[in-house]
Amino acid sequence: MAYLSVFTDSHNYTMQEFALRYFRKPQALLHQTGGGAEQKAPASLVQYTKAPIQESLINLSDEGMNRQAVESFQALMQFMGDQSKPRGKGEMELLYELLKLCQEENLRDEIYCQVIKQVTGHPRPEHCARGWSFLSLLTGFFPPSTTLMPYLTKFLQDSGLSQELARTSQEHLQRTVKYGGRRQLPFPGEMQAFLKGHTVRLVLIHLPGGVDYKTNIQTFTVAGEVLEELCGQMSIMDPQEVQEFALFLIKGEGELVRPLRPDEYLNSVMVDKDVSLHSRRLGWETQLHFDNPTYISTHYSQVLRDYLQGKLLVSAQAEDLLARLAALQHLSRAFQDTPSEQDLLAYLPKTLQWQVRRATIRMLMGQELRRLKGCTSQEAQTSFIEAVRQLPLFGYTVYVVLRVSEVALPGPGFLGLNRQHIILMDPSSQKLCCSVALRELQRIHLLSPLEEQGSPGLELNYGSADSPRTIWFELPQAQELKHTITFLMHSGIASD
């Protein structure tokens, strides 16, 4: 918004002024002098005309571009209802035609000027409204040049006093300046909904613990805006902490899992029926604050899932800790009765259920429950998070690695990913086998499975030009890991 307002501080920046500077100079205009004609003629350059143009408004040197400009003006008149539509072409086809022409960067200013001209002084309100509708779409998809930007901004500001779609166009333009524009053309279903005036869509964000957050998105809503809204529900206001969360796009049963960049337009990625959005925390550097019930339950559910899957590396010999964590899980469910044998099994990491002395842990758990008597569900969840923060892989996104080059593991290893490093640990010994700093990564390459029914791999090239190094991992979630590493490296999250 600040970027847009700078343009209008010290100049008039009217479209009339732009036309006199950059439009072709009609002979009639050059010869008109004196009186009202001098005032009227420049204004006519940016006012509605019922006659199609014979050449581009802006002085385009390329003849092919000039021809496309004439075609776009005709398509615009047909879309607005000022000319009859050709046989076989409906509103949607005309809209696609206009937007496809805008993909040519050198034509964008021309098409912006054409639609501004046709909505200025149009005698038929319903036709004019269709022009404004297209302009509101155009401002969200493609930015104008820096030359036209201040004039377009001023035009929308002035028109916004009486035209609601001008205010909508301003909002879309501000998003385009901030996020780069949607650029990828919408699919037919979304285009049809737009033509009917249906620009709002309900989406579900799946949070850890099976909780769904409902929100409305519009044509040009980006992932970062939804993430900020979601974090706001958890009383997270610090931009640094917001950056530690990510929206993940999941297709089907996990064929594709990838975090969305904050500037990705949701309607461009949520085009299939079998895609869903999930949110989870990727970074854990900012200080945790347990001052909001949704914050507590969301963090607890994410941490609990990793713990029960055995990804946080707790030892079978740590009986006191296992008993305490089991007791806190029991209290977090607001259960008052004595836990059963089945309850205890459910409270233990899957990898340890048959390795620990369950009778001993059950006895210790009983002692913990008596000591924690009166503890509320939220207090138990907070205490659980605080307790597992001491475990080796807390704060990492953990993947199970089947094989790795250069390192001999007795069994599957754990690969941990955070904002600084990729680490590999042997879960049986809890020893760190290797560590790669994200800032040292040069290339990430997805590998095909070595065997027909095997898992894919991920090859990492890292180090300096003088001392290059390579390591590869075989794991079922290789593609997800690749996407997540790339996200951390290129979205401003990766730390030094």
Side-chain angles (χ1 to χ4, degrees):
M1 293 187 190
Y3 174 71
L4 293 179
S5 65
V6 166
F7 288 128
T8 55
D9 287 346
S10 58
H11 295 85
N12 289 330
Y13 287 117
T14 63
M15 283 305 299
Q16 216 170 298
E17 179 188 324
F18 182 87
L20 288 172
R21 286 189 179 186
Y22 301 105
F23 278 18
R24 296 177 185 272
K25 302 298 186 292
Q27 292 301 309
L29 178 60
L30 294 175
H31 293 125
Q32 282 172 337
T33 54
E38 193 174 38
Q39 298 299 319
K40 186 178 179 183
S44 69
L45 293 175
V46 286
Q47 283 185 343
Y48 164 79
T49 177
K50 62 181 180 181
I53 61 173
Q54 302 305 310
E55 55 186 359
S56 61
L57 298 178
I58 296 173
N59 197 1
L60 299 174
S61 56
D62 184 273
E63 189 52 41
M65 291 282 181
N66 182 52
R67 188 168 57 252
Q68 287 181 308
V70 173
E71 291 170 2
S72 72
F73 195 88
Q74 187 173 37
L76 177 63
M77 293 185 79
Q78 291 165 355
F79 176 74
M80 291 176 67
D82 296 325
Q83 275 199 344
S84 57
K85 298 178 182 66
R87 183 176 297 178
K89 270 191 183 179
E91 294 174 336
M92 193 163 71
E93 287 77 15
L94 290 167
L95 205 48
Y96 267 122
E97 185 178 331
L98 286 164
L99 288 174
K100 282 178 182 175
L101 285 168
C102 291
Q103 288 181 317
E104 175 55 62
E105 192 170 347
N106 293 329
L107 266 180
R108 285 178 200 161
D109 282 3
E110 171 70 21
I111 295 174
Y112 265 112
C113 290
Q114 289 179 6
V115 68
I116 288 170
K117 177 180 176 69
Q118 290 304 92
V119 299
T120 303
H122 199 298
R124 300 186 64 177
E126 67 275 18
H127 290 200
C128 186
R130 297 184 69 75
W132 274 108
S133 179
F134 171 62
L135 186 56
S136 75
L137 204 60
L138 180 58
T139 49
F141 273 98
F142 303 106
S145 69
T146 53
T147 303
L148 179 60
M149 179 70 86
Y151 298 93
L152 173 61
T153 304
K154 180 70 163 59
F155 172 76
L156 295 176
Q157 287 174 346
D158 292 345
S159 303
L161 300 172
S162 57
Q163 173 57 254
E164 184 180 346
L165 279 170
R167 296 190 288 274
T168 303
S169 299
Q170 266 187 278
E171 293 170 9
H172 292 172
L173 186 61
Q174 287 163 355
R175 274 200 179 97
T176 296
V177 168
K178 187 174 182 180
Y179 302 113
R182 191 167 151 184
R183 296 174 187 266
Q184 185 180 330
L185 298 190
F187 282 81
E190 185 187 354
M191 194 76 95
Q192 287 171 344
F194 175 82
L195 289 170
K196 293 176 183 176
H198 303 155
T199 58
V200 177
R201 174 184 178 186
L202 178 69
V203 296
L204 294 180
I205 313 294
H206 303 291
L207 306 180
V211 177
D212 290 339
Y213 176 72
K214 296 179 181 179
T215 187
N216 288 320
I217 65 169
Q218 300 191 27
T219 310
F220 301 109
T221 301
V222 296
E225 292 172 311
V226 170
L227 209 52
E228 284 180 21
E229 177 190 326
L230 182 59
C231 286
Q233 298 294 316
M234 295 188 281
S235 301
I236 299 171
M237 303 304 174
D238 179 3
Q240 287 296 111
E241 187 170 9
V242 174
Q243 271 200 329
E244 295 185 349
F245 289 80
L247 281 184
F248 277 76
L249 181 78
I250 298 182
K251 182 176 173 61
E253 297 299 316
E255 299 97 82
L256 173 68
V257 181
R258 72 172 182 89
L260 297 176
R261 297 188 315 274
D263 61 354
E264 285 194 74
Y265 291 81
L266 292 181
N267 271 347
S268 289
V269 296
M270 297 192 67
V271 293
D272 297 318
K273 289 183 179 178
D274 64 340
V275 299
S276 54
L277 290 177
H278 300 250
S279 175
R280 69 174 185 253
R281 189 162 190 153
L282 280 181
W284 297 80
E285 291 184 0
T286 56
Q287 187 171 353
L288 298 180
H289 49 94
F290 303 104
D291 51 3
N292 176 290
T294 306
Y295 182 101
I296 295 170
S297 62
T298 300
H299 284 71
Y300 171 74
S301 296
Q302 180 172 335
V303 169
L304 176 65
R305 180 182 59 195
D306 288 346
Y307 171 74
L308 293 178
Q309 289 177 353
K311 292 181 175 180
L312 297 184
L313 286 187
V314 59
S315 168
Q317 283 71 50
E319 293 175 335
D320 287 338
L321 177 59
L322 289 167
R324 176 169 172 76
L325 293 175
L328 290 170
Q329 287 177 71
H330 194 69
L331 292 171
S332 75
R333 297 165 70 176
F335 287 168
Q336 301 298 322
D337 53 337
T338 303
S340 65
E341 182 74 18
Q342 286 303 311
D343 288 332
L344 176 60
L345 271 179
Y347 297 150
L348 294 172
K350 288 181 181 178
T351 50
L352 298 183
Q353 286 177 352
W354 307 105
Q355 297 181 28
V356 297
R357 299 187 302 170
R358 281 180 287 165
T360 303
I361 292 177
R362 192 173 182 187
M363 179 195 69
L364 293 170
M365 181 183 175
Q367 294 174 4
E368 279 291 328
L369 287 172
R370 287 189 290 275
R371 192 177 67 80
L372 294 167
K373 190 173 182 180
C375 180
T376 67
S377 174
Q378 285 188 12
E379 288 170 344
Q381 291 178 358
T382 301
S383 296
F384 183 92
I385 296 169
E386 293 287 8
V388 298
R389 286 178 76 179
Q390 316 308 318
L391 297 177
L393 286 175
F394 180 86
Y396 287 87
T397 301
V398 180
Y399 300 88
V400 177
V401 172
L402 304 179
R403 278 189 285 188
V404 59
S405 64
E406 300 181 17
V407 179
L409 290 172
F414 281 173
L415 183 150
L417 171 66
N418 69 8
R419 287 153 52 101
Q420 295 87 26
H421 302 99
I422 298 166
I423 63 171
L424 183 70
M425 293 194 76
D426 177 1
S428 57
S429 65
Q430 296 194 10
K431 284 184 178 178
L432 179 67
C433 300
C434 71
S435 175
V436 178
L438 290 193
R439 66 175 181 272
E440 292 183 6
L441 285 178
Q442 305 297 331
R443 181 173 175 267
I444 313 169
H445 180 59
L446 199 63
L447 303 173
S448 299
L450 293 173
E451 294 96 16
E452 189 175 338
Q453 301 298 321
S455 295
L458 194 66
E459 182 182 81
L460 307 180
N461 300 121
Y462 64 102
S464 64
D466 296 333
S467 180
R469 302 189 67 182
T470 299
I471 190 170
W472 59 259
F473 307 98
E474 182 184 311
L475 69 161
Q477 295 166 294
Q479 188 182 52
E480 177 188 342
L481 176 60
K482 178 179 184 288
H483 286 308
T484 307
I485 293 171
T486 304
F487 174 83
L488 291 171
M489 289 175 65
H490 296 106
S491 65
I493 288 184
S495 303
D496 292 333

